[in-house]
Amino acid sequence: MNAIAKTAELTEAERDRILAKSALFNPPSLVTADGRRDLVGLSRAELAEEIAAIGEKPFRVKQLWHWIYHQGVTDFSRMSSIAKPLQAKLAEAFVIGRPEVATVQTSSDETRKWLFRFRDRQEAETVYIPDREIDRGALCISSQVGCTLSCTFCHTGTQKLVRNLGAPEIVGQFMAARDAYGEWPSPHGETPRLLSTIVLMGMGEPLYNYENVAKAMTIVMDNEGIGLSRRRITLSTSGVVPMMDRCGEELGVNLAVSLHAVRDDLRDEIVPLNRKYPIAELMAACRRYPGASNARRITFEYVMLKGVNDSEADAHELVRLIRGLPAKVNLIPFNPWPGSSYEPSSGNALHRFARIVMEAGFSSPIRTPRGQDILAACGQLKTESERARKATGRSNLDA
Ligand code: SF4
């Protein structure tokens, strides 16, 4: 066996191992307490099985898909193209669910943050970041409750992984946000959308929950429903290299990489996943990523930590790493949270770093902090909610 074939086999085995481990954290079933099945988050094939199981014809799948994902209805009695007796039969067997809103906060800059609660009372955060100039915005979606990766600058990383979010819960975050803005039916084609972009950048590592994320994004991209283009979806990973290839081939969404350090010794510490997939392997996976072009650049996220990763030498090394790639660098001012030992870089350091990257020909915007009055740091709403529950003596189980 030659070296390339051997590497491919190893990668395949590693991918299988990741998927098997991820399956251990899968969510509870889609059945409600009264025994009805939630239709949100089922693939078309699964929906067809459910419809067949109650003795209905396959054409009902198309109808239901339209009502659920294009019209956004949650009540079978509003499905006017379906006769009343069948509406009642559907309501007996199924629900069209949404996560419950545990808390919602809107910032003075109109950023909105929800803490969604799921059927087993686990919670995750979703944030809507509107574009101030035009009617559109990005919805930042969570893929897991907690996270395994423990990146040292990240507040969510202090919350151990509880479980993966299922496809219904991932799509459900988008649909519930759409409900809040009344954005139904789904706008078509180039019609402006308020929720025009999805970024998988909330709690969790999406490539450690690939199957559920992929299923959810396939539903979101389906043209007979929500119809969001793959160009409008960005998946952010800390660098789960074996899954990056698969994500590129199967989903073809935009890629963002949480880089945060340019030397292995430092990245091993800040993003511990680096010990498994070091920078050279990560950059090679970026170079293989299909569809990356000047129009669809890979975004490198880089949180600026004072005296840790913000020197001129770091900026030059970053440029060396990404040279030749269609890339953009997002510089993120660090947002301190209780218990964190890092400090934000000074304005001077930020601008000096940005200039070096820009002069090398890469866009390097400094991300303006949004919604600071409500979020502080990603993962904080969930912590606050847990703290409040502890203060009242209620746990996740008895809440
Ligand atoms: S940065 Fe992302 S991957 Fe790292 S701990 Fe936080 S949520 Fe997890």
Side-chain angles (χ1 to χ4, degrees):
M1 191 185 294
N2 67 31
I4 296 177
K6 187 138 195 266
T7 312
E9 198 172 276
L10 281 176
T11 309
E12 196 56 51
E14 178 71 354
R15 214 174 285 154
D16 290 346
R17 195 193 58 77
I18 291 171
L19 291 171
K21 189 161 179 209
S22 169
L24 300 176
F25 289 92
N26 266 346
S29 90
L30 290 174
V31 178
T32 61
D34 63 9
R36 289 183 295 167
R37 174 109 197 200
D38 192 344
L39 295 184
V40 173
L42 298 182
S43 65
R44 276 179 182 258
E46 288 168 337
L47 186 56
E49 277 171 31
E50 292 296 332
I51 295 306
I54 61 161
E56 291 300 325
K57 300 246 161 53
F59 76 91
R60 297 292 181 195
V61 173
K62 198 175 162 75
Q63 269 183 329
L64 278 167
W65 195 272
H66 174 84
W67 283 112
I68 297 171
Y69 296 113
H70 180 69
Q71 299 288 353
V73 307
T74 51
D75 185 346
F76 293 101
S77 69
R78 286 190 49 215
M79 299 183 173
S80 54
S81 59
I82 295 178
K84 291 230 165 343
L86 179 54
Q87 288 176 0
K89 184 176 173 188
L90 289 167
E92 258 172 46
F94 306 120
V95 293
I96 302 165
R98 293 286 191 273
E100 179 191 331
V101 177
T103 12
V104 57
Q105 296 176 327
T106 307
S107 153
S108 53
D109 69 10
E110 289 178 19
T111 298
R112 191 175 291 187
K113 184 160 181 165
W114 293 264
L115 182 68
F116 284 121
R117 186 173 295 148
F118 304 104
R119 206 160 280 136
D120 61 352
R121 308 203 68 82
Q122 291 297 342
E123 294 166 340
E125 296 173 3
T126 308
V127 182
Y128 176 64
I129 307 145
D131 191 308
R132 289 195 188 118
E133 267 108 57
I134 27 178
D135 279 354
R136 65 173 193 204
L139 191 73
C140 177
I141 286 182
S142 291
S143 55
Q144 295 180 309
V145 180
C147 187
T148 33
L149 294 188
S150 309
C151 302
T152 48
F153 59 86
C154 171
H155 194 255
T156 301
T158 60
Q159 301 166 19
K160 70 174 183 12
L161 178 66
V162 178
R163 68 168 174 83
N164 288 332
L165 291 178
E169 296 165 328
I170 298 169
V171 183
Q173 294 172 64
F174 185 77
M175 296 176 84
R178 269 277 189 79
D179 292 347
Y181 288 93
E183 198 174 46
W184 297 108
S186 289
H188 262 313
E190 289 310 304
T191 318
R193 297 170 182 244
L194 275 178
L195 280 78
S196 59
T197 313
I198 286 180
V199 289
L200 282 150
M201 257 179 215
M203 303 172 75
E205 164 54 62
L207 293 186
Y208 271 161
N209 184 19
Y210 180 74
E211 303 282 17
N212 288 308
V213 166
K215 192 170 167 192
M217 291 306 110
T218 306
I219 292 170
V220 164
M221 291 190 282
D222 189 303
N223 268 331
E224 288 182 15
I226 293 168
L228 203 64
S229 146
R230 67 188 68 234
R231 292 181 161 67
R232 298 262 177 213
I233 299 172
T234 299
L235 181 145
S236 172
T237 180
S238 291
V240 185
V241 166
M243 300 308 297
M244 286 167 68
D245 294 321
R246 188 160 163 204
C247 172
E249 275 159 32
E250 291 180 357
L251 295 179
V253 295
N254 299 325
L255 186 70
V257 172
S258 300
L259 189 64
H260 309 308
V262 291
R263 299 185 328 262
D264 279 323
D265 59 335
L266 180 61
R267 196 164 188 269
D268 280 354
E269 184 192 318
I270 303 185
V271 183
L273 183 67
N274 196 69
R275 295 175 205 156
K276 222 180 239 163
Y277 309 114
I279 293 174
E281 283 185 33
L282 174 60
M283 298 313 295
C286 290
R287 287 177 198 280
R288 289 194 300 270
Y289 196 76
S293 64
N294 274 337
R296 298 184 63 199
R297 290 171 292 182
I298 296 180
T299 305
F300 289 89
E301 307 281 344
Y302 198 94
V303 65
M304 294 288 286
L305 306 170
K306 185 178 183 177
V308 175
N309 65 355
D310 62 352
S311 70
E312 290 188 29
D314 288 316
H316 287 296
E317 178 58 11
L318 174 58
V319 166
R320 194 190 67 76
L321 285 177
I322 62 177
R323 191 162 284 139
L325 262 175
K328 154 184 180 187
V329 178
N330 261 349
L331 296 174
I332 309 164
F334 175 63
N335 197 354
W337 41 270
S340 152
S341 55
Y342 296 115
E343 287 176 55
S345 298
S346 67
N348 268 350
L350 264 165
H351 287 104
R352 193 181 53 210
F353 199 102
R355 203 176 48 244
I356 294 171
V357 177
M358 205 170 57
E359 282 172 1
F362 297 98
S363 158
S364 56
I366 298 173
R367 202 191 278 166
T368 325
R370 298 288 303 272
Q372 274 196 312
D373 50 337
I374 54 161
L375 22 124
C378 181
Q380 200 138 17
L381 253 192
K382 181 166 181 286
T383 315
E384 292 301 326
S385 146
E386 271 165 11
R387 198 173 294 145
R389 242 192 319 256
K390 277 184 192 135
T392 56
R394 288 156 65 107
S395 71
N396 264 344
L397 293 174
D398 61 9

